[in-house]
């Protein structure tokens, strides 16, 4: 089974053009892609979760 592509938070922020503070405000409101916390405390976002989040943003904007 192939492992899903996991993105570091700075990669996600760069791709969506958002500051860390704005991202965490959206996360607090339940409007950000799901984060996965690794045992070492780092966070990742799966490519599939980010793509699904982008798609939901497009639908909500219409």
């Amino acid at each position: 089974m192939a492992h899903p592509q996991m993105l570091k938070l700075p990669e996600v922020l760069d791709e969506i053009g958002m500051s860390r503070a704005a991202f965490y405000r959206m996360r607090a409101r339940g409007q950000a892609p799901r984060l996965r916390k690794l045992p070492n405390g780092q966070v990742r976002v799966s490519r599939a979760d980010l793509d699904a989040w982008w798609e939901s943003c497009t639908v909500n904007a219409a």
Side-chain angles (χ1 to χ4, degrees), residues 11-18 23 26 33 50 53-54:
E11 295 171 323
V12 173
L13 297 175
D14 185 53
E15 184 172 328
I16 64 177
M18 186 177 290
F23 181 86
M26 285 183 62
L50 183 59
W53 176 79
W54 269 121

Side-chain angles (χ1 to χ4, degrees), residues 3-59:
H3 294 284
Q5 182 184 10
M6 301 301 285
L7 304 169
K8 295 178 180 180
L9 188 56
E11 295 171 323
V12 173
L13 297 175
D14 185 53
E15 184 172 328
I16 64 177
M18 186 177 290
S19 71
R20 183 179 297 262
F23 181 86
Y24 277 103
R25 282 193 301 271
M26 285 183 62
R27 186 169 182 259
R29 293 189 304 259
Q31 298 173 334
R34 186 174 74 171
L35 294 179
R36 298 175 194 225
K37 194 168 194 174
L38 301 178
N40 64 3
Q42 295 179 0
V43 294
R44 298 286 189 271
V45 177
S46 77
R47 168 53 65 188
D49 287 345
L50 183 59
D51 290 344
W53 176 79
W54 269 121
E55 187 63 30
S56 72
C57 290
T58 303
V59 171

